[in-house]
């Protein structure tokens, strides 16, 4: 169909994004047409320079515009605690919760031998360097409670204990607002083992 | 939070799109960062010229790059039948079904006195002009089976009958693959009234 050339091209491009199928892409494209043209232009400018303006922080490995990133260079943050995450977007979520005021470290993945991801592929060496250089006393592992997350946490625990730092991991259990009735067996089992004295 | 400047700006822009909240926007932004930079650049170029390359067809009122649009200027399509739709994206859906090979006409809305949309706000005059000029013999009303769609269909039926053309409307009833048990009363009532002899 050659009918809606520019619209079709935009729909095809948009439907490559995660969570956006052909129908949502069409809805978005027509929505943009009905919006003020300045929106499309601003979005275009933002996208055009997106990859050029973002690089990796040489300290923590997160995405940033400046190197080191604003978190690594923020002197008001507690630099004796490092929170270890799998990927940069995890930092985004933790920052929005305002629960943590230390530094971060991006592993760049989780140990998954079946997918060919071994400890050597993660930025563990850089983490150990930072621990030594900045006199870190606690490392919080904020990896997902999955098989790969558990494997990675166990591996890091051993290595970090040898480095002489305290190691903790985010609590796993019932989500707030969740319902016991609809909780899976594994989550329930974790919340029992990790039960908290009242 | 000033941490992820370019990323945050993109997230804010993306979350203005329909069906995309803050979380999906963040997911999309990080996904784009992980994709090849050429994708973001192509999408940017497409968006930058989007509004400039798209105009309204002076015949049918649809979005198009050329005026008249490819459908209106296609001599292989049946120009004795016009399918009347509310908005340009409806043409997109009908074209994808390959069910109709005539011409289209975009009303630009549906009659809704409570929202201040009266017959005079729709492109009904242009429709009557086209009927006279091109010797149209059938008009198919492809408006939604809603209160506004019904009102508009009734209004157009009267006017078009006076103009001496055959008027029909898309069948309304049970959706294919649907389940009687979960069908609402109104749809069921319509599918009874519109039942088909076998």
């Amino acid at each position: 169909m050659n009918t809606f050339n520019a619209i079709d091209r935009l729909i095809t491009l948009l439907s490559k994004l995660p969570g956006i199928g052909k129908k949502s892409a069409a809805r978005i494209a027509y929505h943009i047409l009905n919006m003020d043209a300045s929106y499309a232009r601003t979005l275009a400018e933002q996208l055009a320079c997106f990859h050029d303006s973002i690089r990796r922080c040489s300290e923590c490995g997160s995405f940033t515009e400046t190197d080191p990133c604003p978190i690594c260079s923020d002197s008001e943050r507690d630099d004796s605690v490092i929170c270890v995450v799998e990927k940069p977007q995890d930092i985004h979520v933790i920052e929005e919760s305002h629960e943590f005021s230390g530094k971060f470290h991006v592993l760049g993945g989780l140990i998954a031998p079946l997918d060919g991801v071994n400890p050597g592929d993660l930025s563990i060496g850089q983490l150990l360097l930072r621990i030594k250089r900045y006199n870190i006393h606690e490392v919080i592992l904020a990896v997902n409670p999955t098989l790969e997350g558990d494997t990675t946490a166990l591996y890091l625990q051993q290595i970090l204990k040898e480095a002489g730092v305290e190691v903790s991991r985010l609590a796993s259990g019932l989500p707030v607002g969740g319902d016991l009735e609809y909780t899976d067996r594994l989550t329930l089992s974790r919340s029992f083992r990790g039960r908290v004295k009242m």
Side-chain angles (χ1 to χ4, degrees), chain A:
Chain A
M1 196 181 69
N2 196 30
T3 320
F4 302 92
N5 244 309
I7 302 180
D8 270 352
R9 283 195 300 275
L10 186 61
I11 291 176
T12 309
L13 279 170
L14 289 173
S15 56
K16 287 185 183 151
L17 295 173
I20 297 186
K22 269 262 168 195
K23 287 216 169 180
S24 316
R27 200 168 145 227
I28 291 173
Y30 282 105
H31 185 88
I32 291 177
L33 264 186
N34 288 321
M35 281 167 100
D36 195 77
S38 67
Y39 171 81
R41 270 196 291 272
T42 315
L43 184 55
E45 284 160 18
Q46 201 56 43
L47 283 165
C49 65
F50 197 43
H51 279 79
D52 296 332
S53 59
I54 303 283
R55 70 201 78 188
R56 292 282 185 156
C57 171
S58 58
E59 272 295 320
C60 69
S62 173
F63 290 129
T64 176
E65 284 182 286
T66 53
D67 189 16
C69 74
I71 293 181
C72 284
S73 53
D74 186 346
S75 60
E76 296 201 352
R77 295 185 74 111
D78 182 357
D79 54 6
S80 68
V81 191
I82 282 186
C83 176
V84 172
V85 296
E86 179 192 343
K87 45 197 190 302
Q89 46 266 57
D90 298 335
I91 298 182
H92 190 85
V93 179
I94 294 172
E95 280 293 273
E96 294 221 314
S97 78
H98 300 289
E99 276 298 327
F100 179 72
S101 62
K103 305 286 170 116
F104 287 97
H105 190 80
V106 176
L107 283 178
L110 294 175
I111 300 172
L114 289 178
D115 296 333
V117 184
N118 295 303
D121 300 319
L122 310 181
S123 68
I124 298 175
Q126 167 75 355
L127 174 62
L128 292 171
L129 264 177
R130 290 179 72 196
I131 288 173
K132 221 179 264 172
R133 197 186 305 151
Y134 300 108
N135 207 9
I136 307 292
H137 78 265
E138 186 185 356
V139 172
I140 301 173
L141 303 177
V143 290
N144 288 336
T146 55
L147 184 63
E148 290 81 12
D150 291 354
T151 313
T152 310
L154 271 172
Y155 181 87
L156 285 175
Q157 182 203 20
Q158 290 174 336
I159 288 194
L160 295 172
K161 285 257 157 107
E162 281 169 24
V165 284
E166 207 176 296
V167 184
S168 60
R169 187 175 174 191
L170 290 196
S172 178
L174 306 177
V176 175
D179 191 325
L180 261 183
E181 194 181 339
Y182 301 111
T183 305
D184 64 290
R185 209 172 48 81
L186 278 171
T187 302
L188 204 57
S189 133
R190 284 229 179 168
S191 67
F192 262 102
R193 281 188 280 144
R195 66 190 177 278
V196 181
K197 273 233 170 73
M198 300 188 63

